[in-house]
Amino acid sequence: MAIQWFPGHMHLTKKAIQERIKNIDVVIELLDARLPGSSANPMLATLTAGKPTLKVLNKQDLADPQRTVQWLAHYNAQSGTCAIALDASVSTPAKALVKACFELAPNRGGMVKPMRVLICGIPNVGKSTLINTLTGKRATKTGDEAGITKLEQRISLADDFYLYDTPGMLWPRIIVAKSGYNLAASGAIGRNAFNEEEVALELLGYLKTHYAAMLAARYKLAGTAPPADLQDEELLEAIGRQRGALQSGRGVNLQKSAEIVIYDFRAASLGRITLETPGEFAQWLASGQQLDAERQIKKDAIELDRAIRFKKIKRPP
Ligand code: G4P
């Protein structure tokens, strides 16, 4: 399946980050604790040019606590990187954030060398919520559409601590197919960009392997095999039947069942779930990159062929 999204203002945001980054000491990358690997923008590392990075695993209240520990350890083992977990219920997140930033850039501080921090994250990761809590007021949401609100806001957390906000940004091309599904399940991608049934099937495929007990407890499926023994399609159908998602004379309404499954995941009605471990994500990334490289080789060969035929250039030896 191709999940197609339209990153829209991406070029403007990219340009704004490129200009701002020169005068930035620490980059805060807000990640979704339920899908840390998939919610990390692959363009960000290049854009932020090796600046010290604080990975904030946000929405930890929805994520599997054991897996959050694994992800924190994974990031904390990387040089120039520090990681913390947060959620909207933490009333004073500034304390942990400020401390981590000074650990990453210990030479900053005071009026002469204030700490300058850039905060980035994909849409819906909870950036506005966090910034509102940090500032203790209802700051306006940085527009996710360029031209509607300004591209960047500066927020002073203290006299010597500035936070620069950027609009939520997705990237143009997805290389890790599983990331597309996980982003769609999390709510980061607009609903017109994906097919709910496919996303729900993918989600159920993962949940029945890793969180089967939660599925069984939530849906109390009677008269079927345990979730782990069902095909993904059978599971989606059984959930729809159990939840009364029926269409007259034509059995289960699979679209409705898919919406129920996605909604339940987003609301953590199944329990606290994380859709990837660092090891799994590394494997998905490696195979995604390999497929992408193979695709590129084929594309180059087709283009060369075309050039030889139409522009009469010579085939290279
Ligand atoms: P953004 O600026 O990064 O786009 O995200 P925003 O703060 O608007 O948050 C997106 C949604 O996520 C909001 O839900 C918000 O309440 C929720 N959220 C933010 N931080 C947390 C958190 O730590 N834990 C949980 N459980 N939820 C969090 P919403 O207003 O209902 O929006 P939506 O779900 O209708 O998109």
Side-chain angles (χ1 to χ4, degrees), residues 173 291-307:
R173 208 163 57 87
L291 272 176
D292 196 54
E294 286 164 12
R295 241 189 322 260
Q296 191 58 45
I297 291 171
K298 273 191 199 148
K299 207 172 141 203
D300 290 347
I302 292 169
E303 269 167 26
L304 178 65
D305 229 46
R306 228 180 249 148

Side-chain angles (χ1 to χ4, degrees), residues 1 3 177-182 185 195-209 232-233 236 261 275 284:
M1 173 193 76
I3 291 189
K178 197 86 175 94
S179 290
Y181 291 113
N182 288 355
N195 174 310
E196 269 114 346
E197 221 175 293
E198 285 182 58
V199 170
L201 286 172
E202 197 68 27
L203 183 59
L204 287 173
Y206 190 85
L207 297 183
K208 74 177 192 193
T209 312
D232 303 344
E233 291 79 3
L236 184 63
V261 170
L275 295 177
W284 301 340

Side-chain angles (χ1 to χ4, degrees), residues 58-59 61-62 87-88 122-129 141 144:
N58 200 38
K59 303 196 184 185
D61 56 316
L62 305 177
D87 66 67
I122 60 168
N124 225 30
V125 71
K127 198 152 54 64
S128 314
T129 308
K141 185 167 172 146
D144 279 343

Side-chain angles (χ1 to χ4, degrees), residues 37-272:
S38 294
S39 58
N41 189 336
M43 290 179 351
L44 201 64
T46 325
L47 279 176
T48 57
K51 294 273 178 182
T53 303
L54 173 60
K55 310 263 188 192
V56 175
L57 302 191
N58 200 38
K59 303 196 184 185
Q60 68 159 339
D61 56 316
L62 305 177
D64 179 336
Q66 284 179 350
R67 290 188 168 196
T68 298
V69 170
Q70 286 179 27
W71 277 102
L72 289 175
H74 168 76
Y75 288 128
N76 280 320
Q78 295 173 2
S79 75
T81 306
C82 184
I84 59 171
L86 278 183
D87 66 67
S89 73
V90 178
S91 57
T92 52
K95 221 170 140 191
L97 280 180
V98 170
K99 182 171 170 273
C101 288
F102 279 114
E103 274 168 21
L104 283 163
N107 57 333
R108 300 299 303 187
M111 301 297 274
V112 183
K113 288 194 291 177
M115 176 69 81
R116 299 153 306 172
V117 176
L118 188 75
I119 183 162
C120 309
I122 60 168
N124 225 30
V125 71
K127 198 152 54 64
S128 314
T129 308
L130 176 64
I131 289 173
N132 289 351
T133 316
L134 287 170
T135 53
K137 58 182 177 210
R138 289 185 65 79
T140 42
K141 185 167 172 146
T142 304
D144 279 343
E145 284 180 56
I148 292 180
T149 38
K150 57 190 166 185
L151 268 177
E152 183 193 76
Q153 301 185 48
R154 191 182 94 167
I155 299 139
S156 293
L157 286 192
D159 287 344
D160 65 344
F161 199 108
Y162 304 145
L163 197 59
Y164 294 89
D165 187 15
T166 56
M169 180 172 67
L170 283 169
W171 48 100
R173 208 163 57 87
I174 190 147
I175 286 177
V176 181
K178 197 86 175 94
S179 290
Y181 291 113
N182 288 355
L183 285 163
S186 77
I189 304 174
R191 60 180 302 182
N192 294 334
F194 62 91
N195 174 310
E196 269 114 346
E197 221 175 293
E198 285 182 58
V199 170
L201 286 172
E202 197 68 27
L203 183 59
L204 287 173
Y206 190 85
L207 297 183
K208 74 177 192 193
T209 312
H210 299 275
Y211 295 98
M214 286 186 186
L215 278 177
R218 173 73 183 165
Y219 298 118
K220 300 187 180 59
L221 304 174
T224 65
D229 298 340
L230 292 174
Q231 296 294 320
D232 303 344
E233 291 79 3
E234 292 171 331
L235 189 50
L236 184 63
E237 205 177 320
I239 291 169
R241 193 170 305 111
Q242 197 273 346
R243 296 290 295 267
L246 304 171
Q247 43 195 2
S248 53
R250 283 183 295 146
V252 175
N253 181 335
L254 292 178
Q255 169 66 25
K256 193 99 207 331
S257 319
E259 286 169 15
I260 291 170
V261 170
I262 295 172
Y263 179 85
D264 281 353
F265 166 70
R266 288 184 187 167
S269 305
L270 295 157
R272 295 173 68 175

